[in-house]
Amino acid sequence: MIFRFDRFELDLGTVELRENGRPLALEPQVFAVLALLIAQRDRLVSRDDLVATVWDGRVVSDAAIASRIKSARQALGDDGRAQRFIKTVHGRGFRFVAPVAIPSQAVSAPEPPPEAEPAVDPGARPSIAVLPFRFIGEPGPYAAIADGLPDELIAELARLRWLFVTARGSSFRLRAADVTLEDVGRRLGVRYCLTGTAEILGSHLTVAVELSDTRDARIVWAERFDGGVGDVHRIRADIRARVLIELELRIPQHEANLARLAGSENLDAWAAYHLGLQHMFRFDRAGNAAAAALFERAIGLDPGFARAHAGRSFLHFQSAFLRHTADRDGEIARAHRCAERGLELEPLDPFVNFTMGRCYWLVGDLGRSLPWLERATAISPSYAQGMYARAWTEALGGRPDEGRAHVDVAMRLSPLDPLHYAMLATRALAHLAEGDDPTAAAWAERAALAPGAHVLIAMIAVAAHALGGDPARAAAWAADVRARDAALGQADFFRAFPMRSEALRVRIATGLARFGL
């Protein structure tokens, strides 16, 4: 696609910015910033949007962002005072304000391939082929690793209900050394390809795995696994677990980033859904509203998209849980209906089962919640958010030791999860239930300081510090609670955190009351 404005052209195909037909030198990140602003010119692009797209969610300074904006302006002959092309909205973000035209381009039909081959459907769910791994050097008695590991991965990935996995009988006909990634995508009709190498030096085994996009051969994720050849079975387990986790995180993030650059008019159902997820995990009213619109778009394009219905359930849950609306009962009912619709469409999707389990949190029915969460983690044992939700239910339901064990698994599975703050808070609640208040206070402090933590997490910090003997920190967090929501009280807290143990409820209520909550 080519965007034309003023005397410039931004060509996404050749990754060029041209002035009167003359290419201009532009750093890759500056080009990406400019491409995002132009593609999203009908809306404000926030700092978080830039970080998610240009820096893949990594932590970057405001100075780094300002530097790329300045470079983009300089390339266009603009500056911070004139702002003819890029307008700064202080404290909120940036917007491309110059008129943009997209010239029509005649595209000739490609020659048909010599034999019928599947085409990648851009609107279908993501698809992947796992190729046999390649041995570097002589494998000796370990030659089976090269076929055995990818064969196990195919079986594991087939459990991800949102992902189409090419069967072994087809993918094993292609060896990575013999074909290009583009060949794999064209011949098997897949968007993604997982390849790997194995090497043995003496008694040391190294396995390298890469996830690539077959459309442009871009590496989406790569990792190395090392150990002694005697540890091969542990390495196998590590690879299986890590690949499952990374695909759950990386493919959605990659699809959403592609959707951002493509522009909203080109969003297909899957891209709209995953772009919605990025807004959903902001945990605020604006994020919920943006995610709801994208989930609705996804359902409009594909009414049978189970995860989009589950996403709507998640949003209604958040509105009820975080008191975003006065119609709490209505939000609970809507969350339940959307989860039920997701289950009708795809009963074996772990995210769908997760949303159904959390619906029962809203009415304090932990007994009915737990089986759904156990089902979600049985379907996908590496599903970190399901494992956390199960731990939360166990901690409040009188099984804190099980809850602590399961939340530790969740944090190992996904240390950068959007719900990491909730995992830390679950650990704190488990220690409170066990009577270990100082340890609970340490975990609650981490939870309340974690990105995304909402005001109810701060209330856990108040109670834990009050019970753990640190009145100064308890008072500081109580002041934070009042500043964020002066109307919040114990009734709201215990509605959100239903506790089976009356003794625990009394202790936490006492701790909150000491600091005016």
Side-chain angles (χ1 to χ4, degrees), residues 221-264:
W221 166 74
E223 187 61 272
R224 290 169 60 91
F225 302 86
D226 295 279
V229 291
D231 295 331
V232 65
H233 297 302
R234 176 189 59 79
I235 295 173
R236 285 170 50 213
D238 288 348
I239 291 173
R240 289 198 308 271
R242 187 62 181 274
V243 167
L244 280 168
I245 296 161
E246 293 295 341
L247 263 64
E248 281 274 14
L249 293 173
R250 302 288 179 164
I251 289 181
Q253 181 185 57
H254 185 64
E255 293 285 323
N257 288 342
L258 290 176
R260 287 181 186 276
L261 289 176
S264 59

Side-chain angles (χ1 to χ4, degrees), residues 37-304:
L37 292 174
I38 294 174
Q40 300 293 325
R41 59 195 176 278
D42 58 340
R43 71 176 185 88
L44 187 75
V45 176
S46 69
R47 178 190 183 280
D48 290 343
D49 294 333
L50 286 167
V51 170
T53 301
V54 178
W55 285 271
D56 289 328
R58 298 189 300 274
V59 176
V60 296
S61 66
D62 289 338
I65 296 174
S67 171
R68 304 309 186 273
I69 294 291
K70 181 179 179 180
S71 296
R73 282 179 171 144
Q74 288 175 341
L76 301 175
D78 197 5
D79 58 39
R81 177 173 297 178
Q83 299 191 11
R84 293 176 50 236
F85 296 97
I86 300 173
K87 181 179 179 60
T88 299
V89 181
H90 291 289
R92 297 183 60 195
F94 307 91
R95 186 170 180 187
F96 194 89
V97 293
V100 176
I102 304 176
S104 59
Q105 300 174 4
V107 180
S108 59
E111 291 294 323
E115 58 179 302
E117 294 177 339
V120 178
D121 178 1
R125 58 178 169 153
S127 49
I128 190 170
V130 183
L131 270 56
F133 288 3
R134 181 170 55 87
F135 243 109
I136 299 174
E138 290 298 323
Y142 301 100
I145 290 175
D147 282 4
L149 278 174
D151 183 71
E152 289 184 336
L153 287 172
I154 290 171
E156 290 291 327
L157 295 178
R159 300 167 69 178
L160 298 177
R161 311 298 294 185
W162 55 269
L163 185 65
F164 178 86
V165 183
T166 300
R168 182 187 194 278
S170 293
S171 62
F172 270 43
R173 295 179 64 187
L174 306 178
R175 300 268 167 180
D178 303 329
V179 295
T180 66
L181 290 169
E182 291 85 349
D183 288 336
V184 173
R186 186 180 68 255
R187 296 173 66 179
L188 297 179
V190 293
R191 296 190 197 185
Y192 297 93
C193 182
L194 194 74
T195 59
T197 61
E199 182 178 15
I200 294 177
L201 293 175
S203 61
H204 188 79
L205 170 64
T206 299
V207 178
V209 181
E210 284 186 359
L211 172 68
S212 302
D213 188 327
T214 63
R215 292 163 286 191
D216 55 13
R218 183 187 307 178
I219 296 175
V220 178
W221 166 74
E223 187 61 272
R224 290 169 60 91
F225 302 86
D226 295 279
V229 291
D231 295 331
V232 65
H233 297 302
R234 176 189 59 79
I235 295 173
R236 285 170 50 213
D238 288 348
I239 291 173
R240 289 198 308 271
R242 187 62 181 274
V243 167
L244 280 168
I245 296 161
E246 293 295 341
L247 263 64
E248 281 274 14
L249 293 173
R250 302 288 179 164
I251 289 181
Q253 181 185 57
H254 185 64
E255 293 285 323
N257 288 342
L258 290 176
R260 287 181 186 276
L261 289 176
S264 59
E265 69 274 11
N266 292 322
L267 292 180
D268 60 23
W270 184 255
Y273 166 72
H274 283 289
L275 195 52
L277 286 185
Q278 294 194 352
H279 290 287
M280 182 180 84
F281 287 123
R282 286 163 50 187
F283 304 109
D284 57 29
R285 288 181 173 86
N288 260 26
L294 286 158
F295 291 159
E296 289 293 341
R297 181 181 178 91
I299 292 169
L301 291 167
D302 181 3

Side-chain angles (χ1 to χ4, degrees), residues 171-456:
S171 62
F172 270 43
R173 295 179 64 187
L174 306 178
R175 300 268 167 180
D178 303 329
V179 295
T180 66
L181 290 169
E182 291 85 349
D183 288 336
V184 173
R186 186 180 68 255
R187 296 173 66 179
L188 297 179
V190 293
R191 296 190 197 185
Y192 297 93
C193 182
L194 194 74
T195 59
T197 61
E199 182 178 15
I200 294 177
L201 293 175
S203 61
H204 188 79
L205 170 64
T206 299
V207 178
V209 181
E210 284 186 359
L211 172 68
S212 302
D213 188 327
T214 63
R215 292 163 286 191
D216 55 13
R218 183 187 307 178
I219 296 175
V220 178
W221 166 74
E223 187 61 272
R224 290 169 60 91
F225 302 86
D226 295 279
V229 291
D231 295 331
V232 65
H233 297 302
R234 176 189 59 79
I235 295 173
R236 285 170 50 213
D238 288 348
I239 291 173
R240 289 198 308 271
R242 187 62 181 274
V243 167
L244 280 168
I245 296 161
E246 293 295 341
L247 263 64
E248 281 274 14
L249 293 173
R250 302 288 179 164
I251 289 181
Q253 181 185 57
H254 185 64
E255 293 285 323
N257 288 342
L258 290 176
R260 287 181 186 276
L261 289 176
S264 59
E265 69 274 11
N266 292 322
L267 292 180
D268 60 23
W270 184 255
Y273 166 72
H274 283 289
L275 195 52
L277 286 185
Q278 294 194 352
H279 290 287
M280 182 180 84
F281 287 123
R282 286 163 50 187
F283 304 109
D284 57 29
R285 288 181 173 86
N288 260 26
L294 286 158
F295 291 159
E296 289 293 341
R297 181 181 178 91
I299 292 169
L301 291 167
D302 181 3
F305 193 171
R307 283 203 165 192
H309 290 280
R312 290 182 62 206
S313 177
F314 192 107
L315 296 178
H316 292 305
F317 170 90
Q318 286 192 162
S319 291
F321 188 79
L322 297 177
R323 301 167 63 245
H324 287 168
T325 175
D327 184 18
R328 186 173 186 273
D329 290 342
E331 289 295 280
I332 293 172
R334 285 185 281 274
H336 200 276
R337 283 200 301 272
C338 290
E340 283 184 329
R341 179 57 180 152
L343 283 168
E344 291 171 4
L345 294 167
E346 186 50 85
L348 295 180
D349 186 291
F351 179 52
V352 173
N353 284 268
F354 162 86
T355 56
M356 177 57 82
R358 293 214 311 170
C359 285
Y360 290 106
W361 290 7
L362 297 171
V363 292
D365 194 343
L366 301 181
R368 295 184 71 182
S369 172
L370 189 57
W372 288 105
L373 300 172
E374 290 173 338
R375 177 180 166 92
T377 53
I379 293 168
S380 180
S382 297
Y383 181 35
Q385 292 184 3
M387 196 66 72
Y388 134 71
R390 177 177 176 176
W392 186 95
T393 306
E394 290 165 337
L396 294 182
R399 295 156 58 178
D401 52 340
E402 295 177 44
R404 184 157 41 85
H406 284 133
V407 79
D408 285 350
V409 172
M411 288 189 286
R412 286 199 303 272
L413 288 172
S414 188
L416 300 178
D417 201 276
L419 289 173
H420 189 65
Y421 73 87
M423 297 176 185
L424 296 169
T426 298
R427 192 69 144 77
L429 286 170
H431 285 292
L432 283 174
E434 292 174 327
D436 187 356
D437 298 334
T439 303
W443 284 98
E445 182 77 9
R446 289 179 60 189
L449 291 171
H454 50 74
V455 66
L456 293 172

